[in-house]
Amino acid sequence: MKGGWNVDRAAAALLDCEHEVRDRGPLTEQWPGLDVPTAYAVQTETLRRRLSGGQRITGIKLGLTSRAKQRAMGIDTPLTGWLTDAMALAAGEPVPLPRFIHPRAEPEIVLVMGERLAGPGVTPEDALAAVAEVRAGLEVIDSRFRRFRFTLPDVIADNASSAGYVLGSVAREPGDIDVSAETCVLEADGGPAGSATGAAVLGSPAAALALAANDLCMRGQAIEPGWLVFTGGLLDAVPLTPGSRVRARFGSLGELTLTA
């Protein structure tokens, strides 16, 4: 440990940035010894503080699940983070920009859990069998690090850049949809911003869910019934600035729009 850094200090620093709506340099610049297990301990401490403040867990998210996003961020490993009710945004309502530092939006396939899912050894087939519903989602990410510049331990400690989310109203049963083939077309400010299928996420959102269950198991945790699992951005996130309009049109899961 360098300069007095530890789990409590790092958790406090990140939450202070969130509450004060300001960014900072990566933790690893001041704490070069921060590794992945310790970063997850920081993430767990930030969650503990959120829960002690009255928030409740609504699910988990995966980050950096697509190869394109991994290359863009210079990171080669997916990661998990927590979602709480304080991050839920009202569908149809403008994004409350003053809450965020430099928000970006990305479309995702969301799996709503019907059964508890615990590793180790969870397969994509096991994972999908525990799902009650499949929905569309738009996640708002908002790194507490300046210019979204971070290492893997930094972004893990920062709860995978979690900030907000909107859930689609169309629900499909897992047996009625091919989550790997589900299409998504993203538009930003009236123009095309890309298209993808569910296969962009580790080959299948079911594989992302299995990875999350097996990853959480190593920290003594599981995915609980009723939780939302945001399986990872299908496309590069687009900035949300005053006047922005982002629309995601899914093949069978309807469409979602965020305005700012």
Side-chain angles (χ1 to χ4, degrees), residues 190-210:
S195 62
T197 67
V201 178
L202 297 178
S204 168
L209 176 57

Side-chain angles (χ1 to χ4, degrees), residues 43 46 50 61 81-82 87 144 155-162:
Q43 184 189 108
T46 63
R50 293 179 197 279
K61 61 158 287 184
W82 297 97
M87 300 175 193
R144 269 53 70 170
V155 68
I156 289 172
D158 193 31
N159 196 32
S161 303
S162 301

Side-chain angles (χ1 to χ4, degrees), residues 123-206:
T123 67
E125 294 74 22
D126 297 333
L128 203 57
V131 171
E133 296 176 351
V134 182
R135 294 183 182 243
L138 277 170
E139 186 188 4
V140 176
I141 58 173
D142 191 30
S143 175
R144 269 53 70 170
F145 300 120
R146 203 162 295 126
R147 296 184 298 277
F148 274 79
R149 185 175 65 86
F150 44 67
T151 68
L152 180 60
D154 288 307
V155 68
I156 289 172
D158 193 31
N159 196 32
S161 303
S162 301
Y165 65 84
V166 174
L167 189 65
S169 60
V170 177
R172 302 289 187 204
E173 294 186 2
D176 295 337
I177 181 174
D178 183 341
V179 291
S180 296
E182 177 70 4
T183 59
C184 176
V185 176
L186 187 66
E187 299 173 359
D189 300 327
S195 62
T197 67
V201 178
L202 297 178
S204 168

Side-chain angles (χ1 to χ4, degrees), residues 27-63:
L27 291 173
T28 49
E29 289 184 347
Q30 298 173 291
W31 190 6
L34 178 63
D35 58 15
V36 166
T38 307
Y40 272 117
V42 174
Q43 184 189 108
T44 298
E45 176 59 18
T46 63
L47 177 66
R48 187 195 67 78
R49 295 182 185 213
R50 293 179 197 279
L51 299 182
S52 67
Q55 297 182 38
R56 62 179 179 83
I57 296 171
T58 53
I60 61 169
K61 61 158 287 184
L62 287 102

